[in-house]
């Protein structure tokens, strides 16, 4: 029987009912499940091991939770895909005939999960179970239900379009809503305008928009907020899944506070951890606070999405150097340490280095005058005619090279001086400014300081990008004395070095926890490599007792690998990640734990700063009334685009459909 709609009534027409039929399982292992039974998932104390390339590997019961469709055959010592075994799309698929490549197990499981054949098998199994449910009735009732299912599928297709557009706007950091969204408005906002644009090229979307009632189109801003909140919560669940994917995953907490455009104080939290051999720094979100005391900020950090993590596995806090965060008596890190006993406070190294460079750049009035000249030069070049002339001279003096902006003064010194010389032949205020700049930039003292700070900033480029702009001064501090002889330049050089060394010693404290010593003792190219005494302090801090036998074998194996690498590539210095790769958890459990803890220690809090940058891009002056909840969801989805792209419609449907809806979903 088939259905057709005549006059609004569903009528029956003769046809063949297509019911999924399971495969003949006579050749399958007898210790696996039948079509009506759940997947066979025995939890043995130890699974049989197989020697693969000289290493014993075996199946682990932990994979059941990550891939619930797996079932294990004890007789075959192999795993199968339960849906694909009963409803195969390809006869020779590895998870139909048995799979036991334990070395590449996770990789192949992930590929199989994402395959079209697996999705089709899941659908057929679900259809089979639905058609064989007790009390479902005869074939006619099933057909009627199938008709209802087609309406549900149509509604879900509509919701998928809405979800896609909401997440698109979130990832692109553009506003969803318009000032007015009534039918007569020319600009109804990005969300509705995009939906109308898509409907022009998709008749089905256009038909649904025309046929659905206004209260069932799922276009209201409350629906947008709900989708954003659901997507953000699923994103946090993915992070939580990563953290619980392997046992004893160490992590570090990064946090900072800022004020948004509407003067709300926000506390943001990110988390740093190792997953699949790579360091991840993920945003967890932020909360609003009106109390900026250490106790209040600490409570807000703990309030951000709980991940049910073991406090003993937290290795550090990455904060800035504000007194409320760094105070040794009542700072945030002191309060949080009561909850996380092994965590070490790390003042963001980028912040510290920038403080050193800023102080060195203001060591004397003459240096302040130097930056005042640089500032005046930027101001002079902002004029349209001057900037165009500057670019033209660049092309003449640097043929074949890319034209650059004024950020690299040292590289572009020739074109800059030629541009100033050109405008010094004009008249009026332009001539006066050009003559003044030309005179100051051609002095020996200016050229000396330009070379000095160019080298100084290049050495610290990873932390000092943009520092030149941040050290501009609005006016000259004191009077700059002219250079009479080379000893004057020598004195300036000594002042800069002395101040920088003093600030480095002030901002970068000694290695009181022994982490740097422990790291060096694990690096084959280090002079202290293999010295167990250098690792003892770090091991004691993290409560990781490394036995002598394990440490000895680890050092011997790493020496052999380092010798092999050095034979292939000269002067090769392996990173700590390469050392970790050569230290598998199942062979060197304690050394592996120590390496993971050292790698997870926070170095900077730049990730939190980037999260605040996303907040500032999203909450603009035209969106100043946005509530913190919506801002939090938008910021997370934009900041973690990789995870946002991996969200599944089915997961969103499941949460979205938990509330009663006008549309049946």
């Amino acid at each position: 029987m088939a259905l057709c709609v005549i006059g609004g009534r569903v009528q029956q027409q003769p046809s063949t009912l297509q019911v999924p039929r399971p495969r003949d399982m006579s050749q399958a292992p007898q210790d696996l499940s039948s079509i009506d039974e759940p997947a066979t998932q025995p939890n043995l104390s130890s699974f049989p091991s197989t020697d693969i390339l000289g290493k014993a590997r075996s199946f682990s019961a932990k994979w059941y939770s990550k891939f619930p469709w797996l079932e294990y055959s004890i007789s075959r010592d192999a795993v199968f895909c339960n849906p694909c075994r009963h409803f195969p799309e390809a006869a020779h698929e590895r998870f139909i005939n048995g799979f036991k490549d334990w070395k590449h197990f996770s990789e192949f499981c992930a590929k199989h999960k994402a395959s079209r054949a697996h999705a089709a098998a899941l659908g057929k199994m679900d259809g089979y179970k639905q058609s064989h449910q007790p009390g479902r009735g005869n074939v006619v009732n099933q057909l009627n239900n199938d008709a209802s299912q087609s309406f549900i599928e149509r509604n879900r297709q509509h919701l998928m379009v809405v979800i896609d557009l909401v997440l698109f706007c979130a990832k692109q950091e553009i506003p969803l809503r318009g000032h007015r969204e009534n039918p007569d408005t020319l600009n109804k906002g990005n969300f509705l305008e995009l939906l109308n644009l898509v409907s022009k090229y998709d008749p089905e979307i256009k038909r649904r928009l025309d046929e659905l009632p206004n209260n069932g189109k799922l276009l209201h801003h409350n629906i947008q907020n709900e989708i954003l909140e659901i997507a953000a919560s699923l994103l946090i669940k993915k992070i939580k899944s990563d953290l619980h994917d392997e046992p004893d995953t160490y992590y570090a907490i990064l946090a900072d506070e800022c004020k948004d455009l509407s003067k709300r104080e926000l506390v943001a939290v990110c988390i740093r951890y190792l997953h699949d051999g790579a360091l991840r720094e993920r945003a967890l979100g932020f909360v609003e606070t009106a109390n900026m005391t250490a106790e209040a900020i600490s409570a807000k950090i703990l309030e951000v999405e709980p991940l049910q993590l073991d406090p003993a596995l937290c290795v550090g806090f990455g904060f800035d150097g504000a007194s409320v965060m760094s105070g040794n008596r009542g700072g945030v890190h002191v309060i949080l340490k009561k909850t996380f006993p092994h965590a070490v406070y790390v003042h963001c190294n980028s912040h510290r280095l920038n403080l050193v460079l800023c102080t060195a750049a203001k060591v004397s009035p003459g240096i302040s005058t130097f930056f005042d000249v640089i500032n005046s030069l930027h101001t002079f070049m902002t004029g349209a005619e001057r900037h165009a002339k500057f670019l033209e001279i660049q092309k003449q003096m640097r043929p074949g090279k890319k034209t650059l902006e004024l950020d690299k003064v040292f590289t572009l010194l020739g074109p800059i001086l030629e541009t100033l010389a050109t405008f010094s032949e004009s008249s009026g205020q332009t001539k006066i400014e050009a003559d003044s700049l030309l005179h100051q930039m051609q002095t020996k003292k200016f050229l000396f300081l330009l070379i000095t700070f160019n080298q100084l900033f290049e050495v610290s480029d990873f932390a000092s990008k943009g520092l030149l702009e941040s050290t501009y001064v609005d006016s000259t501090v004191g009077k700059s004395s002219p250079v009479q002889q080379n000893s004057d330049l020598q004195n300036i050089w000594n002042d800069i070095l002395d101040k920088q060394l003093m600030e480095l010693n002030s901002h970068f404290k000694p290695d009181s926890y022994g982490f740097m010593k422990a790291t060096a003792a694990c690096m084959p190219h280090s002079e202290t490599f293999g010295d167990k005494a250098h690792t003892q302090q770090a091991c004691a801090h993290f409560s990781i007792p490394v036995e002598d036998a394990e440490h000895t074998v680890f050092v011997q194996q790493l020496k052999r690998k380092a010798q092999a690498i050095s034979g292939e590539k000269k002067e090769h210095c392996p990173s700590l990640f390469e050392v970790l790769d050569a230290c598998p958890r199942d062979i060197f459990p304690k050394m592996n734990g120590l390496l993971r803890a050292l790698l997870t220690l926070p170095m900077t809090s730049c990730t939190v700063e980037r999260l605040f940058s996303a907040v500032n891009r999203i909450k603009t002056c035209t969106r100043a009334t946005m509530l913190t909840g919506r801002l939090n969801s938008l910021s997370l989805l934009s900041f973690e685009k990789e995870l946002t792209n991996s969200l599944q419609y089915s997961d969103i449907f499941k949460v979205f459909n938990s509330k009663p809806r006008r549309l049946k979903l």
Side-chain angles (χ1 to χ4, degrees), residues 238-406:
K238 284 183 175 291
I239 298 174
K240 181 179 178 180
S241 175
D242 285 352
L243 285 161
H244 291 277
D245 194 27
E246 296 181 359
D248 299 332
T249 298
Y250 293 100
Y251 62 95
I253 297 173
L254 314 177
D256 202 353
E257 61 84 22
C258 84
K259 190 177 294 183
D260 68 9
L261 190 69
S262 57
K263 306 300 184 291
R264 293 190 179 100
E265 293 285 356
L266 304 176
V267 175
V269 178
C270 298
I271 192 163
R272 174 184 170 98
Y273 59 95
L274 269 170
H275 183 254
D276 286 343
L279 273 172
R280 314 285 185 186
E281 289 190 357
R282 300 293 194 189
L284 298 181
F286 47 81
V287 289
E288 184 180 336
T289 180
N291 188 347
M292 296 305 296
T293 62
E295 292 80 5
I297 294 177
S298 302
K300 291 297 181 181
I301 290 174
L302 295 173
E303 182 182 321
V304 174
E305 188 68 37
L307 299 175
Q308 298 175 345
L309 300 173
D310 184 356
L313 296 176
C314 181
V315 297
F317 309 125
F319 304 148
D320 62 17
S323 58
V324 70
M325 309 294 281
S326 63
N328 290 327
R329 293 187 177 180
V332 170
H333 76 98
V334 175
I335 298 173
L336 290 179
K337 198 169 178 64
K338 298 174 183 176
T339 305
F340 307 99
H342 297 307
V344 178
Y345 164 59
V346 178
H347 179 190
C348 173
N349 286 285
S350 291
H351 279 135
R352 289 195 281 185
L353 187 55
N354 275 341
L355 289 172
V356 171
L357 296 174
C358 286
T359 305
K362 299 176 183 178
V363 69
S364 71
I367 297 177
S368 296
T369 302
F370 165 77
F371 284 106
D372 189 35
V373 173
I374 298 292
N375 192 24
S376 299
L377 176 63
H378 275 260
T379 304
F380 179 83
M381 290 295 189
T382 54
E385 180 186 358
R386 303 166 188 174
H387 186 259
K389 189 66 177 177
F390 171 60
L391 296 180
E392 179 187 339
I393 291 175
Q394 261 196 80
K395 292 177 182 178
Q396 295 172 359
M397 299 183 68
R398 293 160 47 92
K401 294 184 179 181
K402 182 181 178 181
T403 55
L404 303 173
E405 293 300 326
L406 201 59

Side-chain angles (χ1 to χ4, degrees), residues 264-550:
R264 293 190 179 100
E265 293 285 356
L266 304 176
V267 175
V269 178
C270 298
I271 192 163
R272 174 184 170 98
Y273 59 95
L274 269 170
H275 183 254
D276 286 343
L279 273 172
R280 314 285 185 186
E281 289 190 357
R282 300 293 194 189
L284 298 181
F286 47 81
V287 289
E288 184 180 336
T289 180
N291 188 347
M292 296 305 296
T293 62
E295 292 80 5
I297 294 177
S298 302
K300 291 297 181 181
I301 290 174
L302 295 173
E303 182 182 321
V304 174
E305 188 68 37
L307 299 175
Q308 298 175 345
L309 300 173
D310 184 356
L313 296 176
C314 181
V315 297
F317 309 125
F319 304 148
D320 62 17
S323 58
V324 70
M325 309 294 281
S326 63
N328 290 327
R329 293 187 177 180
V332 170
H333 76 98
V334 175
I335 298 173
L336 290 179
K337 198 169 178 64
K338 298 174 183 176
T339 305
F340 307 99
H342 297 307
V344 178
Y345 164 59
V346 178
H347 179 190
C348 173
N349 286 285
S350 291
H351 279 135
R352 289 195 281 185
L353 187 55
N354 275 341
L355 289 172
V356 171
L357 296 174
C358 286
T359 305
K362 299 176 183 178
V363 69
S364 71
I367 297 177
S368 296
T369 302
F370 165 77
F371 284 106
D372 189 35
V373 173
I374 298 292
N375 192 24
S376 299
L377 176 63
H378 275 260
T379 304
F380 179 83
M381 290 295 189
T382 54
E385 180 186 358
R386 303 166 188 174
H387 186 259
K389 189 66 177 177
F390 171 60
L391 296 180
E392 179 187 339
I393 291 175
Q394 261 196 80
K395 292 177 182 178
Q396 295 172 359
M397 299 183 68
R398 293 160 47 92
K401 294 184 179 181
K402 182 181 178 181
T403 55
L404 303 173
E405 293 300 326
L406 201 59
D407 298 332
K408 299 185 180 294
V409 178
F410 179 78
T411 305
L412 301 174
L413 183 60
I416 290 171
L417 294 177
E418 184 65 26
T419 304
L420 292 174
T422 301
F423 283 103
S424 68
E425 297 174 359
S426 61
S427 59
Q429 186 65 29
T430 299
K431 174 180 172 58
I432 296 173
E433 292 178 5
D435 282 339
S436 175
L437 287 170
L438 199 59
H439 173 72
Q440 295 178 83
M441 291 182 65
Q442 288 179 317
T443 62
K444 182 186 291 188
K445 185 175 184 178
F446 180 90
L447 295 175
F448 171 78
L449 290 174
L450 181 62
I451 295 172
T452 299
F453 281 103
N454 179 70
Q455 293 182 349
L456 182 62
F457 292 158
E458 277 188 353
V459 170
S460 309
D461 182 61
F462 68 95
S464 63
K465 283 183 177 179
L467 184 61
L468 189 60
E469 288 81 356
S470 68
T471 54
Y472 289 163
V473 291
D474 294 330
S475 61
T476 303
V477 181
K479 184 178 180 181
S480 175
S481 58
V483 174
Q484 302 294 341
Q485 49 192 353
N486 289 339
S487 61
D488 294 338
L489 297 179
Q490 183 66 46
N491 292 334
I492 295 174
W493 175 254
N494 290 337
D495 288 343
I496 294 173
L497 287 183
D498 288 344
K499 192 65 176 179
Q500 188 172 9
L501 290 173
M502 186 186 306
E503 291 297 315
L504 284 171
N505 291 330
S506 173
H507 290 288
F508 291 88
K509 303 296 183 184
D511 184 19
S512 56
Y513 290 96
F515 297 147
M516 298 302 294
K517 290 181 180 179
T519 303
C522 296
M523 305 295 286
H525 61 276
S526 170
E527 294 180 357
T528 60
F529 173 64
D531 190 341
K532 191 171 185 291
H534 282 71
T535 64
Q536 288 178 346
Q537 188 177 359
C539 289
H541 176 81
F542 293 125
S543 299
I544 304 176
V546 179
E547 299 294 337
D548 291 340
E550 179 181 338

Side-chain angles (χ1 to χ4, degrees), residues 178-189 193 196:
H179 181 60
R180 290 186 179 87
E181 297 180 349
N182 53 300
D184 299 330
T185 304
L186 296 177
N187 184 358
K188 302 179 182 65
E193 293 294 341
N196 290 333

